[in-house]
Amino acid sequence: AFLVEGQMDFLMVWQSGIRTDVATSGTALGLEHLKNMKRVADTLVISFDKDEAGLKALERALDLMGSHDFNIKVVDLGPYKDPAEAAEKEPNYLETALARATPALTYVFDHHLKKAGNRLSEPAQFKSTLRPLLSKIKNLISPLDQAFWLKELATKSGVDEKVLLLELGRIAIPKTYT
């Protein structure tokens, strides 16, 4: 399933020929929606707006989706602000972008680590950057997924995997995600 943020995104994507799209209406995505989607799809490809609200909606969706064992990918919209604009200005762009979708946690890790930049040498920034990323890993229901993403975060952050595993053990999963 191809998840987009708004109703206009849904309509424009549908008109561009992609018939597997679903509009989440921003923060309205809930556990019941995911249970229904799990019946028809194992992979969810997300393309929310390229703004701070879209990133927050993506991260909230990832927290919810982790407990349902989806394969989750993210579409890079390149120069476009949302799927509707991409479909309007370049109708075949989304099909190509879907084929290049990257794993969602790769996208989130890269975003946050790039945003933190050189400040990762400061202990407070180090913790405030890595703990939210570890919580994304903790929300994954599959121990195999957790192991994979823990190793990936260790590689990207330069922090020893054993240290990340210790910190991961200290993080609680909010009950609203299970």
Side-chain angles (χ1 to χ4, degrees):
F2 181 40
L3 274 62
V4 296
E5 196 170 342
Q7 308 307 324
M8 188 55 72
D9 294 317
F10 171 81
L11 290 172
M12 294 298 292
V13 168
W14 183 270
Q15 289 177 352
S16 76
I18 297 170
R19 302 288 194 249
T20 59
D21 62 327
V22 177
T24 65
S25 298
T27 60
L29 181 67
L31 293 173
E32 287 302 314
H33 298 116
L34 294 174
K35 287 177 187 174
N36 289 329
M37 280 189 263
K38 188 65 177 175
R39 292 184 201 154
V40 296
D42 288 326
T43 300
L44 299 178
V45 182
I46 303 171
S47 184
F48 291 162
D49 294 358
K50 281 180 65 174
D51 58 14
E52 200 58 35
L55 180 64
K56 286 182 182 181
L58 168 64
E59 291 192 24
R60 182 181 177 281
L62 289 177
D63 289 339
L64 292 171
M65 293 171 186
S67 64
H68 286 79
D69 207 24
F70 284 106
N71 298 313
I72 309 162
K73 295 184 174 190
V74 173
V75 169
D76 181 356
L77 292 173
Y80 303 111
K81 68 179 174 86
D82 59 29
E85 181 184 34
E88 177 185 5
K89 293 190 176 174
E90 196 176 339
N92 295 328
Y93 183 85
L94 287 174
E95 194 170 317
T96 304
L98 276 167
R100 291 187 321 248
T102 59
L105 286 179
T106 296
Y107 180 87
V108 170
F109 290 176
D110 290 348
H111 173 79
H112 285 286
L113 292 171
K114 181 180 176 184
K115 186 176 173 183
N118 296 341
R119 296 174 305 191
L120 282 181
S121 60
E122 302 169 15
Q125 182 69 29
F126 206 65
K127 288 189 286 189
S128 67
T129 298
L130 293 179
R131 282 182 178 161
L133 300 179
L134 285 168
S135 74
K136 302 283 178 251
I137 295 171
K138 183 84 172 202
N139 283 328
L140 299 171
I141 196 167
S142 169
L144 293 172
D145 286 342
Q146 287 182 351
F148 178 87
W149 289 111
L150 196 62
K151 184 177 297 250
E152 195 70 14
L153 184 58
T155 300
K156 288 181 178 289
S157 68
V159 176
D160 186 88
E161 191 175 340
K162 291 176 185 173
V163 173
L164 291 175
L165 186 59
L166 286 171
E167 190 69 24
L168 184 72
R170 300 180 62 205
I171 295 172
I173 299 176
K175 296 207 182 295
T176 56
Y177 298 149
T178 57

